[in-house]
Amino acid sequence: MVIGTVGSARDITERKQAEAELARHRQHLEELVEQRTTELLATEARATRILESSADGLYGVDGESRITFINPAACQMLGYTAEQVMGRGAHDLFHHRRPDGSPYPAAECTTCQGWLQGCDSRIGDETYWHADGHAVPVTLASRPIIENGQIIGAVVSVVDVSLQRAAIQAREQALIAAENLARARSEFLANMSHEIRTPMNGVLGFAQIGKRNHQDPEKARNAFEKILTSGKQLLGVVNEILDFSKIDAGKLQVEANEMSLGEVLEHALELVAERARVKGLALRLEKAPDLPPTCIGDPLRLGQILLNLLSNAVQFTATGGVTLSAARQGRELLFRVTDTGIGMTADQLGYVFNPFQQADGSTTRKFGGTGLGLAICKRLVELMQGEIRVESTPGAGSMFEVRLPYVRTAPHPDPREATSVTLPDEPLAGLCILLVEDDPINQMMLEVNLEDDGARLVIVGDGATAVERIIADGPDAYDVVLMDIQMPVMDGYQATRRILELVPELPIIGQTAHAFDEDRDKCLASGMAGHIAKPIEPRALAALILEVVADKRGR
């Protein structure tokens, strides 16, 4: 009995020890499971954070291309929420159409077939489709997920390359535009050389003819006429360049004065009438019955626009005619220049108003011109708050249309008060002028013209000598000073200020080759009473001299 009791107690002890060991082992296993679970959860959390923080779009698919996960970057890129795409086919959602929008069957989709066939690290450019239907160009990389030797899905990375492609396209377009501009400017400079040298050759050539034949009045007169024509042509080229520069710099302003529409129209036609007659072209003016006789506007700039359009029409028309029509349509004035000339293609119409360009290089060589005229017209029309357009058919002619706002003129109290002023034969008779000019040819030209107008002249070659003559001859020796600006020793501005210190009432007129408004303003700021730009038109100079002298005597 004692032996049995001892054995039973030992069994109980051993069983308790085994149970305790089993409990410790179970606890260890539970702690190990909890630790591994925590580690797995942490790893999953890290992976989730990586997926969610990635700037690239990432998503996963199973063996049947159904989406198993997707990160926020991919959702934002493609316009979906995660809930909208989970479990749905990636192909049907993202790349079911080709770049041109045509259907893209899954069986032909290289993206789907690539990962299902186990292609490792497939990289390429694809077109995905946003939820709102617009295309998203992407760079794609995919990697299959393999388990027990079987492909169970794939991980796909997509990067939106819209901005990169847009930047590349913008760079390519800028390069093309720069090349076109460089080519246009090169052609423009070559054309300018031709346009300037041609009339200059005429000026020099006919000057030599006039020199050789000075004893033959008829030949000399003909040579001088050709010199005058060539000089005006050269001046026209220079004026176009200056006008374009002013407009381009935003320094050209249009006036708002009362003008006679009939006079502007007829004057523009007169300036091209001789060229049209020589070519045998009919030149017509059509004025609508409702065209107002006057309006508010800039007659100089309107005339410039119409003259440019008419000159082009005559230039590019070999047979037929040119018609200038004018009408009023409601609150607009409508001007049209129609010709039966060579016309233009649709491509040429696309850049006909661009600066430095004509229809093509051969047109420039054949017909001449700066390539700035229509660009100047367009910008002048825009400055006048109007519109210009063109219709043309190759071989049939062109029609340019200008629309400008119609501003009614205020009625005159007495129309008989409007009188025209004409100059007598010797308008400057009795006046003594101090001419300050360093260029001998300009001295000679001004001397002849001013003496023909009746003036007496004293000529000096620089500003310092002009000041000395004023001091030597006294304050009442001269009625007016005609002052060049750029001269040696002392320029015109300095000389003007010094002379006005000596004789404050003496009017001084600046004459300069600089034709910009700021040059005129600088002359007036130095104390000059007026300004005239070279080349100088004699009658305009005479009128200005009379004006400043009258102002002096009226003070």
Side-chain angles (χ1 to χ4, degrees):
M1 292 297 292
V2 174
I3 294 173
T5 302
V6 171
S8 177
R10 187 183 300 113
D11 292 341
I12 292 172
T13 300
E14 290 176 352
R15 187 167 57 252
K16 287 181 177 180
Q17 290 176 344
E19 289 175 352
E21 182 66 24
L22 183 60
R24 285 194 299 274
H25 185 63
R26 184 185 297 111
Q27 183 179 359
H28 175 71
L29 289 176
E30 289 175 352
E31 291 174 352
L32 185 61
V33 168
E34 183 178 357
Q35 178 183 352
R36 293 300 300 274
T37 301
T38 302
E39 291 174 353
L40 288 172
L41 290 174
T43 299
E44 183 180 359
R46 284 196 299 272
T48 301
R49 286 196 298 272
I50 291 172
L51 288 174
E52 292 181 349
S53 62
S54 174
D56 296 344
L58 297 171
Y59 66 90
V61 295
D62 60 18
E64 296 182 358
S65 294
R66 292 188 296 257
I67 295 174
T68 57
F69 70 85
I70 187 168
N71 73 341
C75 289
Q76 182 178 6
M77 182 191 310
L78 300 171
Y80 293 96
T81 64
E83 292 76 13
Q84 289 175 319
V85 301
M86 293 296 291
R88 297 178 62 183
H91 177 81
D92 294 337
L93 285 171
F94 304 148
H95 39 90
H96 53 285
R97 284 185 283 162
R98 303 179 192 275
D100 62 2
S102 61
Y104 194 16
E108 300 176 12
C109 178
T110 55
T111 301
C112 297
Q113 298 304 317
W115 65 58
L116 292 178
Q117 295 170 9
C119 296
D120 193 21
S121 299
R122 180 183 179 277
I123 300 176
D125 292 334
E126 296 285 352
T127 298
Y128 273 36
W129 294 88
H130 192 275
D132 64 10
H134 77 266
V136 181
V138 300
T139 295
L140 175 147
S142 65
R143 190 179 188 89
I145 301 173
I146 300 175
E147 185 176 286
N148 298 325
Q150 299 292 323
I151 299 172
I152 63 170
V155 177
V156 183
S157 170
V158 287
V159 178
D160 186 348
V161 294
S162 300
L163 293 178
Q164 294 93 316
R165 289 193 181 180
I168 291 172
Q169 290 175 353
R171 184 169 63 248
E172 291 175 349
Q173 291 172 356
L175 180 60
I176 293 172
E179 290 173 349
N180 289 339
L181 180 60
R183 182 169 55 254
R185 288 186 181 273
S186 177
E187 291 178 356
F188 170 74
L189 291 175
N191 191 37
M192 281 302 93
S193 176
H194 172 268
E195 289 297 311
I196 291 174
R197 287 174 180 271
T198 297
M200 183 59 70
N201 182 64
V203 170
L204 297 176
F206 282 104
Q208 292 171 348
I209 293 172
K211 181 180 178 182
R212 288 197 306 268
N213 297 281
H214 64 279
Q215 294 180 344
D216 185 333
E218 186 61 31
K219 290 183 178 179
R221 184 182 301 108
N222 183 61
F224 285 130
E225 288 177 354
K226 295 296 190 296
I227 290 173
L228 186 60
T229 300
S230 296
K232 289 181 177 178
Q233 182 181 350
L234 182 60
L235 179 60
V237 172
V238 174
N239 283 341
E240 281 199 349
I241 297 172
L242 289 176
D243 279 344
F244 182 78
S245 298
K246 288 180 184 178
I247 296 171
D248 208 38
K251 295 182 178 179
L252 190 145
Q253 296 181 342
V254 295
E255 303 292 334
N257 301 317
E258 181 175 339
M259 63 178 177
S260 167
L261 285 173
E263 290 181 3
V264 173
L265 296 170
E266 290 166 7
H267 181 62
L269 280 176
E270 288 174 3
L271 293 176
V272 298
E274 179 60 20
R275 279 179 285 165
R277 185 192 66 78
V278 170
K279 298 183 72 172
L281 301 177
L283 194 60
R284 291 180 291 272
L285 173 61
E286 297 177 354
K287 292 190 290 185
D290 62 346
L291 183 71
T294 61
C295 68
I296 297 298
D298 191 327
L300 175 65
R301 297 306 175 186
L302 175 58
Q304 183 178 358
I305 293 167
L306 297 178
L307 176 58
N308 203 304
L309 297 178
L310 287 167
S311 295
N312 281 352
V314 171
Q315 186 177 21
F316 294 106
T317 301
T319 60
V322 175
T323 300
L324 170 61
S325 63
R328 175 187 170 188
Q329 289 187 354
R331 297 183 179 181
E332 292 182 323
L333 295 174
L334 176 65
F335 305 93
R336 285 178 177 164
V337 175
T338 307
D339 64 63
T340 57
I342 62 174
M344 289 175 282
T345 66
D347 289 340
Q348 290 166 350
L349 290 174
Y351 54 79
V352 68
F353 293 111
N354 291 353
F356 313 116
Q357 289 186 316
Q358 288 188 340
D360 55 43
S362 62
T363 300
T364 301
R365 289 189 294 272
K366 181 178 179 181
F367 294 98
T370 63
L372 292 176
L374 288 177
I376 292 173
C377 283
K378 185 174 189 298
R379 300 196 187 189
L380 284 176
V381 169
E382 290 171 349
L383 283 174
M384 298 167 77
Q385 308 301 313
E387 297 178 351
I388 184 171
R389 70 180 188 90
V390 58
E391 296 177 358
S392 188
T393 303
S398 303
M399 186 280 293
F400 284 84
E401 179 183 273
V402 174
R403 290 180 177 270
L404 297 175
Y406 168 56
V407 181
R408 187 191 307 272
T409 55
H412 290 289
D414 185 357
R416 292 173 295 178
E417 293 181 0
T419 59
S420 59
V421 178
T422 58
L423 296 177
D425 290 338
E426 292 188 349
L428 305 182
L431 297 182
C432 185
I433 300 173
L434 176 61
L435 172 60
V436 189
E437 169 64 64
D438 65 315
D439 185 80
I441 294 177
N442 285 336
Q443 285 181 359
M444 183 184 303
M445 182 270 295
L446 288 167
E447 180 181 16
V448 171
N449 287 326
L450 291 172
E451 287 183 347
D452 284 347
D453 283 339
R456 292 183 294 111
L457 264 72
V458 174
I459 302 174
V460 298
D462 62 76
T465 307
V467 175
E468 293 171 0
R469 289 304 303 257
I470 293 291
I471 296 173
D473 298 339
D476 299 323
Y478 303 103
D479 295 289
V480 66
V481 177
L482 189 56
M483 180 75 69
D484 190 22
I485 300 301
Q486 290 185 331
M487 295 179 293
V489 186
M490 180 184 292
D491 66 28
Y493 299 124
Q494 293 175 295
T496 296
R497 286 189 286 267
R498 183 73 183 96
I499 290 172
L500 291 177
E501 289 174 0
L502 299 170
V503 190
E505 299 299 318
L506 181 59
I508 300 174
I509 296 174
Q511 47 130 357
T512 173
H514 302 298
F516 291 103
D517 290 340
E518 57 263 33
D519 300 308
R520 175 182 177 277
D521 295 341
K522 194 173 180 180
C523 287
L524 299 180
S526 71
M528 295 181 185
H531 165 273
I532 191 166
K534 298 177 181 177
I536 295 173
E537 204 284 313
R539 303 306 276 179
L541 176 59
L544 180 58
I545 290 173
L546 291 175
E547 180 183 337
V548 299
V549 170
D551 288 344
K552 171 192 172 184
R553 291 173 178 172
R555 290 197 292 265

